[in-house]
Amino acid sequence: MFLPELISLDIKTDPIQTLVIPVCEDRSIHDDRAVAALCRKAMGLAEFGGKKDESLLWYDRAETSAQRILFLGLGPADKLTPEILRATAGTAVKKAMDLKTGEIALVAPAAAKMGMAPTEALSAWMEGACLANHLYDRYKTTKKITPLARAVLLVKPETAKSHAALPRRVADICAGTILAREWVTLPANEKRPPELAALIARAAEAAGLSVTTLTETELTERGFNSLMAVAQASDAGARLVVMEYRHPQAKRTVALVGKGVTFDSGGMNMKSEMGNMKMDMGGAAAVAATIVTAARLGLPLNIVAATPIVENMISGGATRTGDVVTTHAGKTVEINNTDAEGRLILIDAMSHVIDRFHPDVLIDMATLTGACVVALGEGIAGLFSPDAELRERIQAIGDAVHERCWPLPLPDDYRESLKSDLADLSNVGKNRWGGAITAALFLSEFTKDTRWAHIDIAGTAFTGKDTPYCRVGGTGFGVRLLCRLLEELAGGTA
Ligand code: BES
Ligand code: ZN
Ligand code: ZN
């Protein structure tokens, strides 16, 4: 991945392969007079009006030394959002890849003219470019396109100076997102629990974290019976990776827990459709990539991330429906549906993290329920927290980074549905209604007094179609959200 650059160039004389100019349909957003003049000429043509998703490609113009100019429509100026900038930068990078130009120079419009803060606008352009430049073609024996070697944003000299630290920050966060994407996209036969645990541990150690990995033998000895009930049908075993990042100036400890089911067949309650179930470790990927990124950013915070990693399979030794386990926390659970396995591994990991680290805040992220996807679709995650301040903060950050989260309730009277005749709790509700809520309520039985939020990313962790800055596969959803949340929590304003 390239490090995006903020530089000033003279578009009349400096050598440029591909000059990218974003254009609004209703008014000029550029301070630079030469750029504004080019936009007016382009807008004079019938085939380009600056409308959203329109584009125009010019070659060999007298007004500029650039080999080609790519105009990209942004739509009306008063409807601009950072997400439109991300998508436009992504489109620019993808078109440049198709053109095989190797690099782009994107003219950054005046932030004030777009009604945005400069940092917000510049971050969005750079994020879109970095994330769109990611290709996952390790299994293609012939590579048709290659990522760009360089992307620069053309800004005023004073903007380049005042935002000198921004490209590094954006590149680190995008590298984290890409790390999570690649783990999610990796096929399940290449990330069985010991392998995924090793990949995560290696990335964490390379970032200077201290890492402890518990194996199935240790997990069994130490009473992670709920986790092991899910793992027991797989001949690949189970792992719990615990990563710690410490900072001398830290005022609080934040714990992250992510669901790591490397393949979810449903177990004895076998799924009829399990095509993409290699993505069921999207939560583990997101929290592991986040703590790695937080270490690279040097955030003044103590962070612990735990990823329970199992494969939900079927065998002669598989968990049956109606089996009862004593969880790590001591409560007993009747497993009435082996496909509701994510919550079973999360509660043991959460209980361990709470006992061992006493975190001030605990966030879990999981591809937990199909019901959440039914409720919110593939673009919005479900957000649950009894703490209104934490919930509102996460929702606001999600909007800002476009990893959107929508709050769903934790109604006490629905707990009735999780009662078991035999044990303390059933792992599923009495019927399928409100399935995302009953799953979250189940988790809440294991949070003790810890400030906690649960983010259900079942719909958002994987995309089956290309989007402007993410191709088919893992999306890395959650890394940008959690990194921003950790930055805020480190700032001491929470
Ligand atoms: N991994 C699935 C949830 C899921 C569904 C993720 C679709 C991504 C896309 C989870 O383990 C599951 O199977 N949940 C069940 C719970 C039910 C049995 C209570 C579900 O949602 O159907
Ligand atoms: Zn399942
Ligand atoms: Zn699952």
Side-chain angles (χ1 to χ4, degrees):
M1 199 185 81
F2 51 65
L3 178 67
E5 296 165 54
L6 300 177
I7 57 171
S8 305
L9 282 183
D10 185 340
I11 67 158
K12 292 203 188 72
T13 53
D14 287 320
I16 297 172
Q17 282 188 12
T18 302
L19 182 66
V20 181
I21 306 183
V23 186
C24 275
E25 66 183 62
D26 49 356
R27 66 178 150 87
S28 173
I29 46 170
H30 292 283
D31 279 342
D32 186 299
R33 289 169 65 181
V35 171
L38 275 166
C39 291
R40 277 195 299 277
K41 281 192 186 165
M43 297 278 280
L45 296 172
E47 67 267 38
F48 185 77
K51 297 221 161 52
K52 203 158 166 286
D53 302 326
E54 277 183 357
S55 68
L56 176 69
L57 190 57
W58 277 357
Y59 289 92
D60 287 329
R61 298 287 303 194
E63 301 92 327
T64 167
S65 50
Q67 289 173 356
R68 59 183 82 66
I69 312 177
L70 174 63
F71 294 93
L72 292 174
L74 296 170
D78 62 1
K79 291 250 161 62
L80 277 178
T81 59
E83 179 58 10
I84 294 178
L85 310 192
R86 272 182 217 106
T88 305
T91 303
V93 165
K94 283 168 61 172
K95 282 194 193 284
M97 266 193 228
D98 290 341
L99 294 166
K100 307 205 182 310
T101 80
E103 59 183 66
I104 58 165
L106 189 148
V107 183
K113 290 194 170 162
M114 300 189 293
M116 280 180 218
T119 308
E120 185 183 34
L122 294 172
S123 301
W125 290 119
M126 290 192 279
E127 260 171 35
C130 289
L131 293 174
N133 202 40
H134 171 239
L135 272 185
Y136 192 87
D137 58 3
R138 60 185 282 194
Y139 298 110
K140 295 281 186 194
T141 48
T142 48
K143 324 272 183 205
K144 290 211 183 80
I145 45 173
T146 36
L148 306 190
R150 190 170 179 228
V152 304
L153 272 193
L154 302 186
V155 295
K156 291 184 185 151
E158 57 272 25
T159 307
K161 218 170 152 198
S162 57
H163 292 80
L166 196 57
R168 184 74 261 164
R169 176 185 175 277
V170 172
D172 283 342
I173 290 174
C174 290
T177 304
I178 289 168
L179 188 62
R181 281 184 183 178
E182 297 208 339
W183 284 333
V184 173
T185 307
L186 193 66
N189 62 323
E190 301 221 7
K191 59 175 177 200
R192 300 193 75 198
E195 291 166 284
L196 182 60
L199 287 174
I200 288 177
R202 200 173 315 139
E205 275 158 9
L209 305 177
S210 62
V211 183
T212 324
T213 302
L214 302 183
T215 63
E216 57 277 358
T217 322
E218 292 153 327
L219 291 165
T220 307
E221 276 167 17
R222 295 171 62 169
F224 291 78
N225 301 322
S226 175
L227 187 161
M228 286 310 298
V230 180
Q232 73 192 35
S234 167
D235 55 21
R239 295 290 183 271
L240 177 67
V241 185
V242 182
M243 296 154 268
E244 288 170 70
Y245 165 75
R246 289 186 182 283
H247 193 283
Q249 266 112 51
K251 288 196 219 63
R252 50 167 74 90
T253 299
V254 179
L256 307 173
V257 176
K259 171 178 173 182
V261 176
T262 63
F263 187 77
D264 184 9
S265 72
M268 296 297 279
N269 293 99
M270 198 204 256
K271 286 184 181 299
S272 53
E273 176 54 59
M274 58 183 93
N276 287 329
M277 280 303 144
K278 66 172 184 181
M279 55 73 101
D280 212 16
M281 35 58 74
V287 308
T290 296
I291 194 171
V292 164
T293 307
R296 296 230 171 90
L297 295 171
L299 299 186
L301 197 66
N302 289 335
I303 311 169
V304 48
T307 57
I309 305 177
V310 301
E311 197 180 35
N312 191 18
M313 301 293 271
I314 302 177
S315 80
T319 291
R320 294 145 292 254
T321 53
D323 283 3
V324 175
V325 290
T326 302
T327 62
H328 183 270
K331 290 188 186 177
T332 56
V333 172
E334 182 176 353
I335 302 176
N336 286 315
N337 192 317
T338 59
D339 197 13
E341 83 299 339
R343 61 197 79 178
L344 294 173
I345 67 168
L346 288 169
I347 54 166
D348 275 359
M350 283 160 56
S351 131
H352 170 66
V353 159
I354 291 170
D355 290 355
R356 168 94 177 66
F357 299 98
H358 310 289
D360 299 290
V361 183
L362 167 68
I363 315 283
D364 82 81
M365 199 170 261
T367 49
L368 205 62
T369 65
C372 187
V373 195
V374 173
L376 300 172
E378 294 176 308
I380 304 175
L383 169 63
F384 299 84
S385 177
D387 183 314
E389 202 276 335
L390 182 61
R391 204 170 60 219
E392 283 158 21
R393 182 181 287 270
I394 292 173
Q395 190 182 2
I397 294 171
D399 286 345
V401 303
H402 203 73
E403 289 186 337
R404 292 166 295 173
C405 299
W406 195 257
L408 292 169
L410 291 165
D412 263 327
D413 56 325
Y414 282 30
R415 289 183 198 277
E416 176 71 27
S417 184
L418 290 167
K419 284 199 172 142
S420 154
D421 294 332
L422 198 57
D424 296 335
L425 283 167
S426 165
N427 76 325
V428 280
K430 297 227 164 31
N431 58 42
R432 64 196 193 89
W433 312 123
I437 295 173
T438 45
L441 283 171
F442 181 82
L443 297 179
S444 77
E445 295 288 334
F446 296 85
T447 56
K448 298 198 175 151
D449 293 331
T450 315
R451 222 177 139 202
W452 160 76
H454 157 61
I455 306 176
D456 191 333
I457 59 167
T460 57
F462 188 88
T463 177
K465 58 176 193 326
D466 286 355
T467 60
Y469 55 93
C470 184
R471 289 164 213 268
V472 171
T475 60
F477 185 100
V479 176
R480 291 186 295 127
L481 172 74
L482 290 176
C483 285
R484 180 80 74 91
L485 177 66
L486 293 175
E487 280 177 337
E488 289 195 10
L489 293 174
T493 49

